Amino acid sequence: MNQFSIEEDQIIAAAGLPLSILAIIGLASNTDIFDFSYLLPGSIGAAIYINARYFEREVSGIVKEIEYLDLEASEAEIKKIRVEDCEFGYKTSIFQKKSWLILKALFSLPAEFSVSKHMNQRLVTFIDNNITSISRLPDFYKSFSELKADIRSTVPYRKDKFLEIEEQRGKYKHFDYPSAGSVFKNSRELGKPIGQIIDELGLKGSRSGAAQISPYHGNIIINTGNAQASEVINLIDRMTDEVFKVYGIRPEPEIVVVK
């Protein structure tokens, strides 16, 4: 599940590939349409499942077609679905409503897109050498930052968002502790980002055992040691209750609790 190929007008990427590889492919080809995916942890499949977004751009704007396996079908058969039929919305998709296993996806490319055979092989080698060693966030950050710097040294300079992304991730210490990312989805009804609300409620830094609401970002729960799932869930419940008390709205979780 970690294979990819680059064709004339598309990238074909397996669901197990890190999403950030799209940003590096974009850098290698001198196009910025994938920049927003740089340092977004998680896989291609997970990004499609939740319609991952950053800088007001999202996966549904770059994906063209998805192959999947219907786990409830009487016979195993790989099926395809076009982006228009995926019911993409703000961090939602049809895949959250179905027992479908995402296998791979086709991503649209601009007409001027091109990657040399040498550059393509460097990307393949990077995946082969790192795919099993970047599950930890610090390793993930280090590996992709180094690959980005390496690729940039060999391609024409263009203005991109990579430095801005690195500075923002550093500001919020996103890669310093294990986490499951954003706890809640933002809500227009609340009128402001949920992280800001958690901060204003004085919840940042609150603990339950080794789980802690990040002192740097109110919408992230970090593992400071050997946190248990029950401790993380306790903090999620506490955050939900406090937001409801003040705003009368229960924020919608982005984290999926597997029982």
Side-chain angles (χ1 to χ4, degrees):
M1 300 297 285
N2 63 353
Q3 303 298 308
F4 73 91
S5 61
I6 302 172
E7 300 183 358
E8 290 184 359
D9 62 345
Q10 62 190 12
I11 299 170
I12 304 174
L17 278 167
L19 177 64
S20 288
I21 198 65
L22 292 179
I24 303 300
I25 293 174
L27 176 64
S29 64
N30 211 25
T31 179
D32 65 356
I33 64 172
F34 304 122
D35 282 5
F36 77 97
S37 70
Y38 179 58
L39 295 184
L40 269 177
S43 67
I44 295 285
I48 291 170
Y49 179 88
I50 201 169
N51 192 19
R53 61 184 282 120
Y54 199 59
F55 283 132
E56 303 305 317
R57 300 195 69 174
E58 52 195 12
V59 167
S60 58
I62 57 174
V63 71
K64 184 164 60 174
E65 185 178 82
I66 298 147
E67 291 190 7
Y68 67 94
L69 190 65
D70 186 346
L71 300 180
E72 293 185 347
S74 56
E75 296 183 7
E77 180 184 358
I78 295 176
K79 299 181 179 180
K80 297 180 180 180
I81 185 169
R82 299 177 304 170
V83 62
E84 302 94 318
D85 301 320
C86 289
E87 301 178 14
F88 283 121
Y90 174 67
K91 297 189 176 180
T92 62
S93 74
I94 193 172
F95 301 98
Q96 297 175 18
K97 308 170 187 177
K98 304 284 187 177
S99 295
W100 292 353
L101 178 65
I102 299 170
L103 301 176
K104 65 181 179 180
L106 279 64
F107 295 90
S108 303
L109 299 175
E112 69 276 12
F113 181 93
S114 64
V115 174
S116 68
K117 290 183 178 180
H118 173 67
M119 190 68 72
N120 185 74
Q121 186 55 49
R122 289 172 70 181
L123 297 173
V124 170
T125 300
F126 171 80
I127 291 297
D128 289 343
N129 292 342
N130 292 274
I131 194 66
T132 60
S133 62
I134 57 176
S135 60
R136 293 181 66 254
L137 290 178
D139 295 335
F140 172 88
Y141 178 86
K142 181 175 182 291
S143 296
F144 272 101
S145 297
E146 290 178 349
L147 178 62
K148 179 261 298 180
D150 182 37
I151 298 297
R152 174 173 277 159
S153 68
T154 62
V155 298
Y157 174 79
R158 67 171 173 81
K159 187 175 181 180
D160 55 53
K161 290 185 174 292
F162 292 156
L163 180 59
E164 184 179 349
I165 290 171
E166 289 179 355
E167 290 176 343
Q168 187 168 31
R169 298 294 191 191
K171 175 183 177 182
Y172 295 124
K173 310 292 184 184
H174 283 180
F175 299 105
D176 287 20
Y177 298 93
S179 79
S182 297
V183 178
F184 300 106
K185 298 178 182 180
N186 285 319
S187 169
R188 290 181 179 177
E189 294 179 88
L190 292 171
K192 62 183 76 172
I194 189 68
Q196 180 182 343
I197 290 173
I198 297 299
D199 187 8
E200 293 173 352
L201 292 174
L203 294 174
K204 280 205 311 188
S206 299
R207 287 179 172 270
S208 175
Q212 181 183 31
I213 300 174
S214 173
Y216 312 102
H217 194 296
N219 196 25
I220 292 178
I221 294 175
I222 60 176
N223 181 354
T224 64
N226 295 307
Q228 303 296 306
S230 58
E231 295 168 347
V232 175
I233 292 172
N234 180 44
L235 286 179
I236 293 175
D237 291 342
R238 191 186 309 177
M239 296 159 79
T240 301
D241 291 343
E242 291 300 316
V243 172
F244 181 74
K245 286 178 184 178
V246 175
Y247 291 89
I249 296 172
R250 295 189 180 277
E252 181 182 359
E254 182 171 326
I255 290 176
V256 176
V257 179
V258 180
K259 299 181 179 180

